[in-house]
Amino acid sequence: MENKITRHWSAGVFLLLMLACCVNLSAQRIRVQGQITDRNGKGVPNANVFSSEKKERIDMSDEDGRYSVLADKNASLKFTCIGYEDYTVKIGNKQIIDVVLKEAVFALDEVTVISKVKNKVVPEPTDIEIKGNYFHLKTRVPVPKEMFNSHRRLILQPSIYDVTEKKRLLMQPVVFDGEDYHVSQKRMYDYEPDRDPLNAYVRVKETSTRQGDVIAYHDSLYIENLKHDYRADVHIAMENYRNIVYRDSFSIARGTVNPLRFLEYKFSAFSLTDERYIPKPIMQLRDTKGEVNLTFLVGKASLDDRNPRNQIELNRLNSELRAIENNPDASLRSFHIVGIASPDGGYENNQKLAGLRTDKALERILSQLDASTRKALELKSAAQVAPWKDVVGLLRKDGLVKEAAEIEGLIKQYGERTYRLNKAVKSTSYYDKILSVYLPKLRKVQYTYGYSIFRSLTDEEIKALYRQKPHDLTRFEYYRLLVTAETQAEKEKYGKEAIEAYEGFTYAANELAVLNIARDTPDASILAPFVGRSAPVELLSNQAIALLHEGKYMKADSVLTLAPAGTVPADLEAIVLAMSGSHEEAFERVASTSPLNEVVMLLAMKKNEEAWEKAVKLNAGSAKEYYVRAIAANRLDKIGEAILNIEAALSLDPSLLEIARIDGDIIDLLPEEQKIKNTLEK
């Protein structure tokens, strides 16, 4: 019994110790996650995460560079990725570990490594061929038999490197799996291959040869700026289940093959001729005033018919009102009348008399107008009594300064509108003259009529309005400013303001584009918002010219497809087709424009023999002609001819050296010191 207890106790202790060990081991493993980025903060996908504990890959980062692993907290994590330097970090107690990988610096030779080198995966040298805005990269990658086995994965990552902007553009990768490695990958991802970020690119090696394998590669990449310096690189990595066993990098092409850079063309801009896009004048209501003065008999509400001036005024008033009524662009809006009585006598009686004169005059005048016109009028009337100070003004105007001063003194003494002032004035020695000459001038009715008339502003009025209230200008008035602009600077200013003030102002935008094309500074952003199937062909043509200037050949081609067939100028259409890659379709038209263009097109189509035959017949009076002749000669391995022609070209135009340094057809012809200088500069 005792022995049994002892055995049971021993077994229990052993079990407890085992559990303690398991708990201890479990406690050592923690979840670690984070993000792998480059120095610009962009996530690095497909990066390997290795554990120093197992010395094998335990995870691969997703598209955003994120990873998540279970690992021993006393272990280290190693991060690797093609094109970046390896990075190792101790876990400690950190559960969040973000990693920044540095781009690996590879010595990329200008000349490809000779293919006889053993134990290397060496891509064949090639050219970057340009077709439209697409860079085409074709190469073959021999894989020596001794380098690759069934338990390995080979990853090829071609890229185009923009030397000018120091920017790398990745192309489609190639993933070459051995059969056993591929099976292991399936198991690792629980037979869900899509969990492998590289699955879409995997090719499985299923053949066996003594010589090894050859991987053929062809991919294209859209490039916006064709004037930069480019090269093609291939980063290569080979891994087994645990480590990256081989890594290398090669430059397989320097410069671009693009003879169309020498295609000569020049297009004038196109102004709009379709009246649909020329703004129609918008007539504006312009307020105008007229005024009539009529005199009345003393103490009466009747007009003074003895005064010939009254009839003249009435005739003029009737004529003006009738003209307004009969003008379809004019409308009588208001009629204001004020009846005025002279100040002699009692103020209340004079005020009443002024009112009677107003009513009588209004009745007589309005009777001449159409009933509908009278109904629409804004009528205002008022009655006033002229003050004695108006008499002072009339006296002073006639040079009667003494009399004016006396009346002015009486006004100050007795005040306006008083019986005593009237009595004092009547007692003056010159009252009879005031009564017969000056008081009649104050007995009158004044008419003010307001009318609005629709009319277009004159060019001078438009300019005046622009100076005062530019935001009040209509489209038509901006159109007139553009048409009458005296300088190109003025026209540009008006054009920019017009398209800011009026969205969709097609005419103004096109004129601004025409201006830029004329001074050889086309700007495709001006017309971009107006491009569409309904856009006028002139506008589409101008946009294509601007896109050609900016090197956006594919976009220029897509713009011209919006125009109805046969409406685009034939030369423009042919050049756009050629530059966007439709060489055969454009050849006949473009070749007919000049002998040089014919040679350039033949070179673009790789008809090198025919290009050489045509090139030798060129007058070769220009640097460009020597240059394209050098291309044709070099392609046919006529090295002596090629060197002579490129030297002649550079002698005539030294600036062509900048092109030669990035031209895949010429770069190998440059003197060694120029190559060295080029390398140092880049």
Side-chain angles (χ1 to χ4, degrees):
M1 183 70 176
E2 184 179 334
N3 290 336
K4 287 183 179 179
I5 292 173
T6 303
R7 285 199 302 272
H8 284 224
W9 181 85
S10 299
V13 171
F14 180 74
L15 181 61
L16 287 172
L17 288 172
M18 288 295 293
L19 287 173
C21 289
C22 289
V23 170
N24 186 48
L25 287 173
S26 176
Q28 299 300 313
R29 294 180 65 78
I30 60 173
R31 170 71 62 182
V32 181
Q33 60 187 31
Q35 186 179 23
I36 306 168
T37 61
D38 60 19
R39 285 183 294 182
N40 296 319
K42 186 177 179 181
V44 178
N46 307 327
N48 298 302
V49 184
F50 290 89
S51 168
S52 63
E53 174 191 11
K54 294 186 177 181
K55 301 202 181 296
E56 64 181 13
R57 184 175 65 191
I58 56 176
D59 197 17
M60 180 179 285
S61 62
D62 64 14
E63 292 181 355
D64 296 320
R66 299 193 180 278
Y67 71 95
S68 179
V69 297
L70 278 173
D72 188 330
K73 68 179 182 180
N74 294 320
S76 297
L77 295 180
K78 182 179 181 181
F79 301 87
T80 67
C81 186
I82 297 173
Y84 296 92
E85 294 180 1
D86 294 350
Y87 183 83
T88 302
V89 60
K90 289 184 178 180
I91 295 175
N93 288 315
K94 298 187 290 291
Q95 290 188 275
I96 303 294
I97 299 179
D98 293 327
V99 175
V100 178
L101 296 183
K102 295 181 180 180
E103 186 173 329
V105 179
F106 298 102
L108 296 172
D109 298 330
E110 294 296 324
V111 181
T112 308
V113 178
I114 300 173
S115 59
K116 290 181 180 180
V117 175
K118 294 183 178 181
N119 297 325
K120 276 186 175 289
V121 180
V122 183
E124 293 180 355
T126 187
D127 291 316
I128 305 172
E129 294 187 18
I130 295 178
K131 198 169 186 179
N133 282 92
Y134 282 91
F135 279 21
H136 290 265
L137 187 65
K138 294 181 181 180
T139 187
R140 298 196 312 163
V141 185
V143 183
K145 184 177 180 65
E146 62 272 18
M147 285 289 293
F148 194 81
N149 59 49
S150 186
H151 298 281
R152 290 185 175 183
R153 164 176 280 185
L154 175 65
I155 302 172
L156 306 175
Q157 178 58 75
S159 63
I160 299 295
Y161 186 71
D162 186 335
V163 180
T164 306
E165 289 194 348
K166 297 180 172 56
K167 181 179 179 182
R168 189 172 300 282
L169 306 168
L170 298 180
M171 304 183 80
Q172 181 173 296
V174 172
V175 183
F176 195 51
D177 279 1
E179 287 187 274
D180 290 335
Y181 185 98
H182 191 64
V183 171
S184 297
Q185 283 292 99
K186 285 183 178 181
R187 290 172 180 167
M188 176 181 173
Y189 289 110
D190 296 327
Y191 295 94
E192 295 180 19
D194 287 341
R195 290 173 59 191
D196 181 354
L198 296 175
N199 182 63
Y201 310 107
V202 170
R203 303 181 196 176
V204 181
K205 174 179 166 57
E206 297 175 345
T207 60
S208 177
T209 67
R210 293 182 180 179
Q211 301 299 322
D213 293 276
V214 176
I215 301 174
Y217 183 86
H218 178 203
D219 193 19
S220 60
L221 190 67
Y222 183 85
I223 300 293
E224 192 86 312
N225 197 327
L226 302 181
K227 296 180 180 179
H228 288 182
D229 183 6
Y230 296 93
R231 71 168 185 250
D233 298 338
V234 177
H235 298 292
I236 299 173
M238 190 180 297
E239 62 182 34
N240 56 23
Y241 305 116
R242 297 175 180 273
N243 299 298
I244 293 177
V245 297
Y246 173 76
R247 177 185 289 172
D248 212 337
S249 188
F250 301 88
S251 177
I252 61 172
R254 181 59 186 267
T256 54
V257 175
N258 183 25
L260 288 180
R261 58 166 59 94
F262 293 107
L263 205 61
E264 293 183 332
Y265 53 87
K266 177 79 173 176
F267 299 106
S268 299
F270 302 92
S271 293
L272 293 181
T273 56
D274 192 332
E275 291 186 357
R276 290 179 299 172
Y277 299 99
I278 298 176
K280 298 294 185 291
I282 297 177
M283 293 188 294
Q284 298 188 48
L285 281 174
R286 310 297 292 180
D287 290 342
T288 311
K289 291 183 178 181
E291 188 174 289
V292 175
N293 293 317
L294 301 174
T295 59
F296 287 78
L297 295 171
V298 178
K300 305 285 186 180
S302 304
L303 285 169
D304 184 359
D305 292 327
R306 293 173 301 177
N307 186 347
R309 190 66 194 170
N310 277 345
Q311 194 58 47
I312 293 172
E313 288 286 283
L314 282 173
N315 290 341
R316 181 171 66 82
L317 174 62
N318 287 334
S319 176
E320 289 178 358
L321 295 182
R322 287 293 182 189
I324 294 170
E325 270 194 315
N326 295 328
N327 187 344
D329 293 327
S331 61
L332 196 61
R333 293 190 303 106
S334 63
F335 201 92
H336 297 174
I337 184 169
V338 178
I340 302 174
S342 60
D344 58 318
Y347 179 79
E348 289 77 10
N349 289 333
N350 287 338
Q351 183 77 14
K352 184 178 180 181
L353 181 60
L356 291 173
R357 287 173 175 171
T358 299
D359 294 341
K360 280 284 187 180
L362 194 58
E363 180 183 343
R364 181 167 176 178
I365 299 300
L366 296 184
S367 65
Q368 306 296 317
L369 299 176
D370 185 78
S372 61
T373 302
R374 291 199 303 270
K375 187 176 180 180
L377 278 178
E378 175 199 351
L379 296 176
K380 286 186 180 180
S381 60
Q384 295 179 5
V385 176
W388 280 106
K389 67 177 182 179
D390 287 354
V391 175
V392 173
L394 294 172
L395 290 169
R396 189 169 280 123
K397 184 178 179 181
D398 286 346
L400 301 174
V401 179
K402 181 180 177 182
E403 290 80 353
E406 186 177 353
I407 298 297
E408 195 169 34
L410 293 174
I411 293 171
K412 288 180 180 180
Q413 183 179 355
Y414 298 109
E416 284 275 11
R417 300 179 183 178
T418 62
Y419 171 76
R420 295 176 67 186
L421 175 61
N422 274 279
K423 186 177 179 180
V425 172
K426 286 181 180 180
S427 64
T428 61
S429 60
Y430 46 86
Y431 175 71
D432 290 340
K433 190 169 185 178
I434 290 176
L435 184 64
S436 60
V437 177
Y438 296 107
L439 292 181
K441 293 182 179 180
L442 299 179
R443 303 180 191 117
K444 59 185 178 180
V445 172
Q446 292 178 331
Y447 303 87
T448 302
Y449 55 92
Y451 67 96
S452 298
I453 184 167
F454 282 104
R455 66 176 177 84
S456 299
L457 300 185
T458 65
D459 289 339
E460 289 304 316
E461 287 175 325
I462 290 172
K463 290 177 182 178
L465 181 61
Y466 174 79
R467 290 190 292 269
Q468 297 169 6
K469 297 180 179 179
H471 297 297
D472 290 349
L473 290 178
T474 65
R475 285 179 189 257
F476 176 77
E477 287 156 1
Y478 266 119
Y479 160 74
R480 290 303 305 169
L481 284 177
L482 286 166
V483 169
T484 59
E486 296 180 1
T487 67
Q488 298 295 331
E490 271 188 7
K491 194 169 190 175
E492 183 177 23
K493 184 173 184 289
Y494 296 148
K496 288 180 178 179
E497 292 176 358
I499 59 179
E500 287 179 6
Y502 291 99
E503 185 178 355
F505 197 163
T506 306
Y507 181 88
N510 193 72
E511 282 300 291
L512 195 56
V514 168
L515 185 67
N516 279 285
I517 292 171
R519 64 188 183 196
D520 202 26
T521 57
D523 182 356
S525 67
I526 297 171
L527 294 180
F530 300 84
V531 170
R533 197 162 293 280
S534 61
V537 66
E538 295 95 340
L539 185 147
L540 296 175
S541 298
N542 289 336
Q543 182 67 350
I545 293 171
L547 290 168
L548 278 176
H549 180 83
E550 295 178 3
K552 299 172 182 177
Y553 307 127
M554 309 300 287
K555 290 183 179 179
D557 183 48
S558 67
V559 164
L560 291 188
T561 60
L562 299 173
T567 59
V568 175
D571 284 351
L572 175 60
E573 187 172 34
I575 291 294
V576 169
L577 282 172
M579 298 304 290
S580 60
S582 299
H583 303 149
E584 298 286 347
E585 189 177 352
F587 175 74
E588 186 175 348
R589 184 79 189 187
V590 176
S592 68
T593 59
S594 75
L596 176 64
N597 281 352
E598 182 180 14
V599 174
V600 169
M601 287 297 294
L602 290 169
L603 289 171
M605 294 186 291
K606 297 186 178 178
K607 296 183 178 181
N608 299 325
E609 293 281 357
E610 191 176 348
W612 172 247
E613 291 176 8
K614 299 284 184 180
V616 294
K617 296 177 182 178
L618 293 174
N619 292 329
S622 71
K624 285 184 179 180
E625 288 173 324
Y626 279 117
Y627 195 108
V628 297
R629 187 184 285 179
I631 293 175
N634 198 31
R635 287 190 181 183
L636 297 176
D637 293 327
K638 300 178 183 292
I639 306 302
E641 293 274 7
I643 292 174
L644 287 174
N645 279 282
I646 195 62
E647 287 179 348
L650 297 178
S651 175
L652 287 172
D653 184 359
S655 68
L656 286 175
L657 179 59
E658 296 304 312
I659 295 176
R661 286 173 174 173
I662 61 171
D663 189 346
D665 275 316
I666 294 296
I667 195 170
D668 62 318
L669 298 177
L670 296 180
E672 195 62 33
E673 62 270 18
Q674 290 179 348
K675 289 183 182 179
I676 294 170
K677 181 182 178 184
N678 184 38
T679 303
L680 291 174
E681 288 178 350
K682 300 302 180 184

